[in-house]
């Protein structure tokens, strides 16, 4: 939870972003720990209990991620591009760049005075 820059130079929103990022990191770490316990526990009831806990941590991580999406525009842009898609993940950005170019230049004239988007 340490700051990398002088804390007095960080605004309140930046401190909250730091808190949210750390919360997300902690939730993801907990998901990993619980998941390892799920797959290694021998007692079925304990296995179910830690699976429940793991899935609660996934909920917490998603809540932190949603707060970040609402408060850091780059998260919003990236999540909108990558989440709930079916294309090969490494090809999504290329496809989106093509769509952005189409949207910016729907008539396909190729000259909007904003330079190439590719
Ligand atoms: Fe949690």
């Amino acid at each position: 939870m340490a700051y990398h820059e002088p804390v007095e130079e960080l605004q309140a929103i930046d401190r909250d972003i730091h808190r949210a990022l750390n919360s997300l990191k902690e939730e993801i770490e907990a998901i990993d720990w619980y998941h390892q316990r799920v797959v290694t526990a021998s007692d079925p009831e304990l296995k179910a209990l830690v699976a429940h806990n793991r899935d609660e941590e996934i909920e917490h991580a998603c809540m932190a991620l949603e707060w970040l999406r609402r408060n850091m525009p780059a998260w919003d842009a990236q999540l909108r591009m990558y989440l709930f898609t079916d294309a090969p993940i490494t090809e999504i950005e290329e496809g989106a760049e093509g769509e952005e170019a189409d949207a910016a230049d729907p008539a396909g004239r190729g000259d909007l005075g904003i330079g190439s988007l590719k």
Side-chain angles (χ1 to χ4, degrees), residues 23 26-28 30-31 34 53-54 56-61:
S23 291
E26 291 157 5
E27 299 296 355
I28 287 172
I31 293 163
Y34 277 123
N53 291 354
R54 174 201 58 196
E56 290 268 311
E57 303 298 357
I58 291 173
E59 179 186 11
H60 301 165

Side-chain angles (χ1 to χ4, degrees), residues 20-34:
L21 287 169
N22 272 279
S23 291
L24 180 59
K25 192 165 68 177
E26 291 157 5
E27 299 296 355
I28 287 172
E29 188 172 57
I31 293 163
D32 181 34
W33 292 344
Y34 277 123

Side-chain angles (χ1 to χ4, degrees), residues 2-15 18-19:
Y3 291 106
H4 280 267
E5 298 294 333
V7 66
E8 62 274 11
E9 292 184 27
L10 298 176
Q11 296 178 2
I13 183 62
D14 303 315
R15 295 184 199 190
H18 174 74
R19 293 179 180 108

